Amino acid sequence: MIRTSLKLYHTSRLLTPLANRNLPALTPKLAVVSSANTTLYRHKSTTSPATAVIPQEKPGLFKRIAKSLFDSSRGKYISLGVLLYEKCANEPNFVEFVKVLGLPDTFNSWFLVTELHVWMVMTKCSVMENNGRHMRNSMVKMMWDDCSQKLKTLHVPRSGSVLQELDQQLKAAIFAYDEGIMSSDTVLASALWRRFYIDNSSDIKGEELEILVSYVRRQIAELHALSDEEFSKKPTFTWVPLKV
């Protein structure tokens, strides 16, 4: 299966600061500052504070695409979908998900975590009629573009076939998650287990599933508490904590 083979592709290169990758920089160079319990990142400076000139930060790829689309009414919602995907892909703490949920540190785990967040935002878009449809379709398109770039970065062979397999998995996951969110916690936990833990079927992962079900329920509630107008102005919502 594609999922099993993707376990070979470790996400370490995807998780390193962009300044350390052999890729076009989307963010300013970062310096790592370690403390006893955490690692922080701050801008490097090659000039003294007295003579330093703060450079204009170049917008990231997603934001540049969003800005170019924002002029038209339909384009506005397409661009919002781009920004929503950026929140789903970049803001959740992937390292925390790996540690708390006992996931392998692989591309497939990154995809599962990102897919889950994209689906949660899609549930909000689905109640916004045509405007929500534009946002949802834009999110999915950007997700496949992002996945394609990451697969190239990891030098995954036959990446086109991998994307096709992931597309089929996404469609099945959306159906299962939709059923779960409208049903009991048991049904939702079953859907999450089939996506996150089916490759390790000997271990039910009860505690991890309880954390994940609670996270999904709380985040869905937060998203749907926003008015359509508030949600469609700018994606400024925050993700709830994974653990409470």
Side-chain angles (χ1 to χ4, degrees):
M1 290 179 64
I2 293 294
R3 180 187 299 179
T4 302
S5 64
L6 285 177
K7 285 186 174 183
L8 301 175
Y9 298 98
H10 199 275
T11 60
S12 57
R13 288 193 66 196
L14 303 179
L15 296 176
T16 55
L18 286 170
N20 297 333
R21 301 186 208 163
N22 186 23
L23 293 171
L26 300 181
T27 57
K29 288 187 177 181
L30 300 174
V32 181
V33 183
S34 298
S35 63
N37 300 315
T38 187
T39 300
L40 305 177
Y41 298 90
R42 69 185 180 191
H43 294 283
K44 285 183 177 179
S45 176
T46 57
T47 58
S48 65
T51 61
V53 177
I54 300 176
Q56 291 290 332
E57 181 178 349
K58 186 177 180 180
L61 173 63
F62 296 138
K63 290 184 178 178
R64 294 202 304 272
I65 295 173
K67 186 177 184 300
S68 67
L69 292 170
F70 206 80
D71 294 335
S72 67
S73 176
R74 177 173 175 269
K76 170 186 175 181
Y77 293 102
I78 294 175
S79 66
L80 283 170
V82 174
L83 297 177
L84 285 169
Y85 174 73
E86 186 180 36
K87 287 184 71 70
C88 294
N90 296 341
E91 291 187 4
N93 188 337
F94 174 70
V95 175
E96 181 185 18
F97 275 82
V98 165
K99 291 180 178 179
V100 173
L101 302 179
L103 302 174
D105 182 8
T106 62
F107 171 85
N108 188 64
S109 294
W110 171 85
F111 178 78
L112 293 176
V113 171
T114 302
E115 171 193 79
L116 180 65
H117 288 83
V118 167
W119 166 74
M120 289 192 288
V121 174
M122 286 172 63
T123 65
K124 176 61 179 177
C125 295
S126 67
V127 300
M128 298 177 63
E129 299 181 347
N130 287 336
N131 294 335
R133 177 170 58 87
H134 296 320
M135 295 162 69
R136 178 198 65 201
N137 293 345
S138 177
M139 287 176 62
V140 174
K141 181 183 184 303
M142 290 307 302
M143 180 172 70
W144 295 134
D145 289 346
D146 192 25
C147 286
S148 178
Q149 182 58 52
K150 284 180 166 56
L151 289 172
K152 290 178 181 178
T153 301
L154 295 171
H155 305 292
V156 177
R158 298 185 299 113
S159 59
S161 298
V162 172
L163 290 174
Q164 290 180 5
E165 177 67 21
L166 292 177
D167 179 58
Q168 294 301 315
Q169 292 181 16
L170 173 65
K171 292 173 181 176
I174 290 173
F175 181 83
Y177 288 160
D178 283 349
E179 181 184 26
I181 201 65
M182 293 185 294
S183 305
S184 65
D185 285 353
T186 302
V187 177
L188 179 57
S190 177
L192 291 166
W193 177 81
R194 289 196 300 272
R195 284 303 283 146
F196 282 82
Y197 298 113
I198 195 168
D199 286 334
N200 190 13
S201 57
S202 62
D203 190 353
I204 299 300
K205 298 286 184 181
E207 182 179 351
E208 289 85 350
L209 281 174
E210 185 177 355
I211 292 171
L212 200 49
V213 167
S214 172
Y215 176 74
V216 170
R217 293 286 189 194
R218 287 182 286 113
Q219 187 61 64
I220 292 284
E222 287 284 333
L223 289 170
H224 286 262
L226 299 171
S227 67
D228 291 354
E229 181 181 5
E230 184 180 5
F231 182 77
S232 60
K233 278 185 177 179
K234 191 177 180 182
T236 56
F237 64 87
T238 57
W239 302 105
V240 300
L242 178 57
K243 296 181 68 175
V244 292

